[in-house]
Amino acid sequence: MKKNPTIADVARKARVSIATASRVVNNSDHPVSAATRRRVLKVVAEMGFAPSEVARALATRQTCMIGVIVGDTNDPYFSAIVRGIEDVARENGYIVIVCNSDRIPAVELTYVRTLLNYRVRGLIFAGGGLTDENYLREMRALVEQMERRNVGVVGLSEHLFPACEVTIDNRAAVRDGTSYLIQYGHRRIGMLSGPAGLNTTRLRTEGYRDALQAAGIAFDPALVIPGDFRFQGGIRAIERLLAIDRLPTAIMSSNDEMAIGAMVALKQRGLRIPTDISLVGLDDILSTQYVDPPLTTVQIPLYEMGATGMRQLVRLLNDEEIEPVLWLNHTLIERQSVSRIAG
Amino acid sequence: MKKNPTIADVARKARVSIATASRVVNNSDHPVSAATRRRVLKVVAEMGFAPSEVARALATRQTCMIGVIVGDTNDPYFSAIVRGIEDVARENGYIVIVCNSDRIPAVELTYVRTLLNYRVRGLIFAGGGLTDENYLREMRALVEQMERRNVGVVGLSEHLFPACEVTIDNRAAVRDGTSYLIQYGHRRIGMLSGPAGLNTTRLRTEGYRDALQAAGIAFDPALVIPGDFRFQGGIRAIERLLAIDRLPTAIMSSNDEMAIGAMVALKQRGLRIPTDISLVGLDDILSTQYVDPPLTTVQIPLYEMGATGMRQLVRLLNDEEIEPVLWLNHTLIERQSVSRIAG
DNA sequence: AATCGGTTGCAAACCGATTGGATTTCAACC
DNA sequence: GGTTGAAATCCAATCGGTTTGCAACCGATT
């Protein structure tokens, strides 16, 4: 097992001091004569020297690593966000450590601690904040600690601890989706909600109620089906809804995958969409375009959220002034899963 | 900006030497009296001390970071693999740095070098190897270097540089998919192939030819449409195929997303699937289940590939004996996008 | 020849841990 | 009471860089 060449090796071979070699490599502003510089650079090339980021991190007390906490990389919602983060990170010389929490408080906390031990320069929380009390207490302490230690923190949805944020208005997004259904004459509207313990779930359900209330429709808790943001969850939700005496005429889903699951389950039972039942999703993942019928949905700029979040983090780390909360727009995308209700 | 507590702080406060403190923290087998241990542990808890992984990495010359090079995290193919990697990594105390290369040789090379400077313990190449000559030359040199520096390397498809591998038989997978179509009476079969410069593309196209040859069907290069593994690519491929005088009666796609793009494009033109044209995909991503009709496809155990690859890497790093190449099985999943040809 | 300001380069401290080997402690034994 | 050896503890080198203070050197000016 051979060792990597060190800056000492370079210095020796170029017959300069380590300090000089270091200055050439980092082209610092300390003056170095052209001849010396050339000599060092030549040796660097010959030996294929590249400074150890580990050693450099220890000396400068800074790394260029940023941690990203996601629910599940395999969920298209997160994978789009991560891609946005990664692209901007790369442009700015950062590398990204991705951690899947599965939205489990303990896992998330452990990851955050580990990342801090690795001395990441910043941390991005993708996905909605958890609401668990113990989790929040610990997380707030950690965020405070990061503040003191100069570790940047950015949240990508509405989190419950103080951090710079880039988010859409989840409540309004679902309100708009639901209102759209109401405009089409629907008054008995089901809601596929997200997993418990998630702030986003809370907000989206509130948006649903807002829309109902604005239209003077009574809220029926039996029509709100808890889900898990996944395809199978959508299928199960339909089973639960069918257990009710009468199906709603429309369903607002708090994400696309569940909406698609619901669509498949409904079609399997011979129900036509949108003729028999209308469906609105949320996120606008790619597959909304190729299900049949294409899914009407409230678009969230996922990639952009990731990219913007990372951009904010970069600014934060450069000590630039930034908006504490950046709101991104959602947009209703009309496709073919909603129809005016008969009668 | 406050500093993190160091082991020196702990040692001082517990009135022991740094060495002793370190031994307690790592519970090394060097003997430490119960009383001292308790005292140190108490201080550790009080100060919330956790050793800096950076400093530890420098001292031990080892990190617990592993790098993963993927084409695009946002592609369900890769996101499933990454999830498998990450789960096993976590179980074994490793963290994962994800890098999107977009299959561009220069980007990939740069990432590998960066990761080596970060002193990752191992590297996983997800996705098929690139075939660019210059790239291969440089990559082989890098792999050799990693060998010497004891950095583990695992490839997850058939790569063109020497490394431990976990892969399916890409050639056979496409052969089997194509043969399935032939069994259903198709003889004029189109092929949606992958991007140029990719070993996997090569292998899969060969599998297509193998199947034709075995059935005594002449190979028609006009029926092989190059693609990009993406939804839009599938749509474009159909446009190109339609430019031919007569459409094939079936299409073998070298991945699912393109197959689905093709399906959408065909349906838009009023063609029925599988009545008018049959379709077989490859990968078995989730959406194959919810397109209409559900897509018959050759399943690749993506998550398992990632997980197994990471398991192999762990073994490699523990100096255990491992198989240099591990073959995983593909399986044809019959759904509803293939029908027996009329006549 | 002495002075001077600007270049250039060096030695050494430091970052925060690990670790081999030296040193101390202390109970048991002669 | 002195010796001994294992257990417990500590010292200091080391990992591979960055950075600062200081010294040497240079040609030009007085």
Side-chain angles (χ1 to χ4, degrees):
Chain A
M1 163 166 170
K2 237 186 70 185
K3 285 185 41 180
N4 297 42
T6 73
I7 197 154
D9 298 332
V10 171
R12 200 174 314 120
K13 198 160 168 199
R15 326 193 123 277
V16 296
S17 76
I18 291 179
T20 303
S22 169
R23 288 197 264 258
V24 171
V25 170
N26 302 308
N27 48 24
S28 91
D29 42 8
H30 188 100
V32 175
S33 74
T36 310
R37 159 162 284 124
R38 221 175 308 121
R39 193 146 38 93
V40 173
L41 252 24
K42 186 157 157 270
V43 174
V44 165
E46 278 171 19
M47 309 184 77
F49 169 79
S52 154
E53 289 296 334
V54 171
R56 170 178 270 169
L58 185 57
T60 60
R61 277 163 293 279
Q62 283 201 342
T63 67
C64 289
M65 307 190 294
I66 74 125
V68 178
I69 309 272
V70 300
D72 177 11
T73 3
N74 202 11
D75 177 339
Y77 174 89
F78 288 112
S79 68
I81 290 178
V82 167
R83 184 65 218 247
I85 294 175
E86 222 265 332
D87 282 357
V88 175
R90 190 166 88 85
E91 284 165 20
N92 290 276
Y94 293 96
I95 60 175
V96 169
I97 300 172
V98 177
C99 306
N100 294 100
S101 77
D102 286 320
R103 302 202 181 86
I104 300 169
V107 173
E108 193 165 320
L109 286 166
T110 306
Y111 263 133
V112 171
R113 294 207 181 87
T114 303
L115 289 171
L116 289 179
N117 295 343
Y118 273 94
R119 300 291 184 264
V120 292
R121 189 83 165 281
L123 214 47
I124 297 184
F125 292 88
L130 308 180
T131 58
D132 182 83
E133 274 307 323
N134 294 319
Y135 161 85
L136 279 175
R137 191 169 328 111
E138 302 224 39
M139 193 52 97
R140 287 191 185 117
L142 282 170
V143 169
E144 205 174 303
Q145 196 182 112
M146 296 191 235
E147 191 89 26
R148 285 201 305 272
R149 309 263 158 89
N150 238 10
V151 179
V153 182
V154 172
L156 291 194
S157 260
E158 290 148 298
H159 281 264
L160 295 169
F161 45 80
C164 164
E165 263 188 8
V166 175
T167 185
I168 59 145
D169 185 337
N170 280 290
R171 186 167 177 168
V174 172
R175 184 190 1 94
D176 293 353
T178 310
S179 297
Y180 177 81
L181 286 168
I182 294 173
Q183 273 172 44
Y184 273 75
H186 296 275
R187 298 190 61 83
R188 193 170 150 74
I189 302 171
M191 159 85 179
L192 305 193
S193 123
L198 201 61
N199 194 29
T200 319
T201 296
R202 210 139 81 180
L203 293 166
R204 292 183 183 171
T205 309
E206 278 168 16
Y208 165 75
R209 298 184 69 156
D210 290 348
L212 294 188
Q213 189 163 28
I217 301 173
F219 170 73
D220 178 357
L223 290 180
V224 177
I225 312 292
D228 57 0
F229 283 153
R230 304 174 51 178
F231 177 70
Q232 285 298 332
I235 294 182
R236 276 195 300 273
I238 291 304
E239 285 161 9
R240 294 222 7 211
L241 269 177
L242 282 169
I244 305 181
D245 53 341
R246 190 163 49 102
L247 267 185
T249 65
I251 295 178
M252 174 72 217
S253 173
S254 56
N255 87 331
D256 284 337
E257 287 230 0
M258 283 197 301
I260 293 173
M263 182 186 285
V264 168
L266 289 167
K267 281 163 70 178
Q268 262 175 6
R269 285 172 172 73
L271 290 159
R272 291 158 305 170
I273 294 163
T275 318
D276 297 324
I277 185 162
S278 291
L279 229 41
V280 171
L282 178 68
D283 282 351
D284 192 38
I285 60 176
L286 180 62
S287 34
T288 53
Q289 297 173 38
Y290 53 67
V291 289
D292 193 9
L295 185 71
T296 293
T297 193
V298 181
Q299 178 183 61
I300 300 182
L302 296 172
Y303 178 92
E304 213 42 45
M305 254 171 78
T308 307
M310 185 64 209
R311 254 179 241 120
Q312 290 290 85
L313 183 53
V314 170
R315 292 201 194 97
L316 203 60
L317 297 177
N318 293 345
D319 286 317
E320 296 172 30
E321 273 308 311
I322 64 170
E323 306 263 340
V325 180
L326 223 54
W327 295 95
L328 265 42
N329 293 323
H330 59 271
T331 318
L332 198 132
I333 310 271
E334 297 192 74
R335 287 201 267 256
Q336 299 159 36
S337 61
V338 174
S339 73
R340 189 159 297 282
I341 191 170
Chain B
M1 162 164 169
K2 235 185 70 183
K3 285 184 40 175
N4 297 43
T6 74
I7 195 150
D9 299 332
V10 171
R12 199 174 312 119
K13 198 158 168 201
R15 327 192 123 276
V16 297
S17 75
I18 291 179
T20 302
S22 168
R23 282 177 184 126
V24 171
V25 169
N26 301 306
N27 51 23
S28 89
D29 42 8
H30 191 101
V32 174
S33 75
T36 309
R37 158 161 287 122
R38 221 175 308 120
R39 192 148 37 94
V40 173
L41 253 24
K42 186 156 156 271
V43 174
V44 165
E46 279 170 19
M47 309 183 78
F49 169 79
S52 154
E53 289 296 335
V54 170
R56 172 178 268 170
L58 185 57
T60 60
R61 278 162 291 279
Q62 283 201 341
T63 67
C64 288
M65 308 191 294
I66 74 127
V68 177
I69 308 273
V70 300
D72 177 11
T73 2
N74 202 13
D75 176 338
Y77 175 89
F78 288 112
S79 69
I81 291 179
V82 168
R83 183 65 218 244
I85 294 175
E86 221 265 333
D87 282 357
V88 175
R90 189 166 88 85
E91 284 166 19
N92 290 276
Y94 292 97
I95 59 174
V96 169
I97 299 172
V98 177
C99 307
N100 294 101
S101 75
D102 286 320
R103 302 201 182 87
I104 300 168
V107 174
E108 193 164 320
L109 287 166
T110 305
Y111 263 133
V112 172
R113 294 206 181 88
T114 303
L115 290 171
L116 289 178
N117 295 343
Y118 273 95
R119 300 292 183 265
V120 291
R121 189 82 165 282
L123 213 49
I124 297 184
F125 291 87
L130 309 180
T131 57
D132 182 83
E133 274 306 323
N134 293 320
Y135 160 86
L136 279 175
R137 193 171 325 114
E138 302 225 39
M139 193 52 96
R140 287 190 185 118
L142 283 169
V143 168
E144 206 173 302
Q145 195 182 113
M146 296 190 234
E147 192 88 26
R148 286 201 304 274
R149 310 261 157 89
N150 238 10
V151 178
V153 183
V154 171
L156 290 194
S157 260
E158 291 147 296
H159 282 264
L160 296 169
F161 45 80
C164 165
E165 262 186 10
V166 175
T167 183
I168 59 146
D169 186 337
N170 280 290
R171 186 167 175 168
V174 172
R175 185 193 355 98
D176 293 354
T178 310
S179 297
Y180 178 81
L181 286 168
I182 294 173
Q183 273 171 44
Y184 272 75
H186 297 275
R187 298 190 60 84
R188 195 171 148 75
I189 302 170
M191 159 85 181
L192 305 193
S193 125
L198 201 62
N199 193 30
T200 320
T201 296
R202 211 138 81 180
L203 293 167
R204 291 183 183 170
T205 309
E206 278 169 17
Y208 165 75
R209 298 185 68 156
D210 290 348
L212 294 187
Q213 190 164 28
I217 301 173
F219 170 74
D220 178 358
L223 290 179
V224 177
I225 312 291
D228 58 359
F229 284 154
R230 303 173 53 176
F231 178 69
Q232 286 298 333
I235 293 182
R236 275 194 300 271
I238 291 305
E239 285 162 9
R240 294 222 6 210
L241 269 177
L242 283 169
I244 305 181
D245 54 340
R246 192 162 48 102
L247 267 185
T249 65
I251 294 177
M252 174 74 218
S253 174
S254 56
N255 87 332
D256 284 338
E257 287 230 358
M258 284 196 300
I260 292 173
M263 182 186 284
V264 168
L266 289 167
K267 280 163 71 178
Q268 263 175 4
R269 286 172 173 72
L271 291 159
R272 291 157 305 168
I273 295 163
T275 319
D276 297 324
I277 185 162
S278 291
L279 230 40
V280 171
L282 178 68
D283 281 352
D284 192 39
I285 60 177
L286 180 60
S287 33
T288 53
Q289 296 173 40
Y290 52 67
V291 289
D292 194 7
L295 185 71
T296 293
T297 193
V298 181
Q299 178 184 64
I300 300 182
L302 296 171
Y303 178 91
E304 213 42 44
M305 255 171 77
T308 307
M310 185 64 209
R311 255 179 240 121
Q312 290 290 84
L313 183 52
V314 170
R315 291 200 195 97
L316 204 60
L317 297 177
N318 293 345
D319 285 317
E320 296 173 29
E321 272 309 310
I322 62 170
E323 305 264 341
V325 179
L326 224 52
W327 295 94
L328 265 42
N329 294 322
H330 59 270
T331 319
L332 198 132
I333 309 272
E334 297 191 73
R335 287 200 267 254
Q336 298 158 37
S337 61
V338 174
S339 73
R340 191 160 297 283
I341 190 169

